[in-house]
Amino acid sequence: MEKITRVGVDLAKRVYQVHAVDNADLTVLARPMSPERFLSWALGLPAGAVVAMESCSGVHHLARRLRLMGLDESPLGDSISQPNMESTWYSLEPRSRLYRTCRSPE
């Protein structure tokens, strides 16, 4: 697995849309995963990787599980993760915006 530094996750009941990038902001992964598959995939992430998630009812439970894995979870407010209504439902723009909002200052 390439060196993933940031992950944006769009949470839903049965499918999480995952968008992962490396240090150079190049997309390493952009695909849907089941919640179980996501957690097993997240075990392979390097310690300290930032995982940004939209705010929803299950975000705190998932954040605690990611913290136990040594990852830096980052729940985002609704104003940041608000979907772009002009984009189509299959667009990656809302998900890729999640990881961009958690960028470390350079």
Side-chain angles (χ1 to χ4, degrees), residues 5-6 28 44 46-47 60 63 66-67 69-71 80-81 96 99:
T5 57
R6 289 182 308 279
V28 175
H60 299 292
L66 293 172
R67 233 177 292 137
M69 294 179 196
L71 302 173
I80 294 173
S81 62
S96 62
Y99 92 84

Side-chain angles (χ1 to χ4, degrees), residues 10 35 38 80:
D10 188 5
F38 171 73
I80 294 173

Side-chain angles (χ1 to χ4, degrees), residues 49-95:
V50 176
V51 181
M53 302 166 287
E54 63 190 326
S55 292
C56 69
S57 61
V59 75
H60 299 292
H61 172 70
L62 183 58
R64 282 191 299 271
R65 293 186 72 177
L66 293 172
R67 233 177 292 137
L68 290 173
M69 294 179 196
L71 302 173
D72 181 17
E73 84 327 304
S74 176
L76 303 173
D78 290 337
S79 62
I80 294 173
S81 62
Q82 187 71 24
N84 181 1
M85 294 306 186
E86 295 175 5
S87 67
T88 56
W89 66 271
Y90 53 84
S91 172
L92 288 178
E93 175 57 28
R95 269 80 72 189

